[in-house]
Amino acid sequence: MAAVAVVILTGLVVFAVRVRRLDRRVGSFECAVRSGGRDWRGGIAVYGVGRVQWYRLVSLSLLPTRTFTRESLDLVERRGGAPDEFVEVRCRYDGEEVSLAMRRECLAGLVSWLEAAPPRGEPLV
């Protein structure tokens, strides 16, 4: 019985440390993802160089569950509620429809990050 308690306690400590480390990273924000008609999955997204990595909240994995590159992510539609509620954003990523839910200020950061990308395609000059 003591061994089971130690295993459970160790799992809880690892989970808590993982969530704390992800949440304290520069450029991290709370973000839920829904794709393929599935239910919402809560997580933490972290900005990287040219990509956003999404980590599932309820997991012990140190690897991101999804990675969205800046060049392939397009915002399609935004649905929002009151200022203190989460905003849902429908996106298209490599031909797949993905919905993201985040706080309004996090959406402003995501939009700014996408707009700061270098131009796509051939230069006009």
Side-chain angles (χ1 to χ4, degrees):
M1 189 63 120
V4 172
V6 168
V7 169
I8 291 173
L9 184 60
T10 302
L12 289 173
V13 168
V14 169
F15 172 75
V17 168
R18 176 187 170 271
V19 169
R20 185 176 172 97
R21 288 191 67 207
L22 285 174
D23 194 41
R24 289 188 156 221
R25 283 188 182 174
V26 174
S28 67
F29 60 98
E30 189 177 350
C31 178
V33 173
R34 180 174 64 183
S35 64
R38 297 182 186 149
D39 290 334
W40 287 101
R41 293 182 290 167
I44 297 173
V46 181
Y47 291 111
V49 178
R51 67 183 180 270
V52 172
Q53 295 177 319
W54 183 79
Y55 297 84
R56 189 172 184 169
L57 187 62
V58 182
S59 174
L60 295 178
S61 175
L62 300 175
L63 301 174
T65 304
R66 302 274 318 243
T67 299
F68 302 102
T69 59
R70 189 186 323 219
E71 299 83 27
S72 301
L73 184 64
D74 293 313
L75 304 182
V76 176
E77 178 185 8
R78 177 183 135 192
R79 300 179 199 166
D84 58 338
E85 292 181 0
F86 275 64
V87 177
E88 179 183 348
V89 182
R90 280 191 27 229
C91 305
R92 187 160 288 114
Y93 183 72
D94 281 341
E96 175 189 10
E97 188 167 311
V98 179
S99 293
L100 306 174
M102 64 195 78
R103 290 193 171 90
R104 191 174 305 278
E105 59 270 12
C106 297
L107 175 60
L110 180 65
V111 170
S112 297
W113 179 77
L114 287 170
E115 290 176 351
R120 298 179 187 173
E122 294 293 321
L124 298 175
V125 177

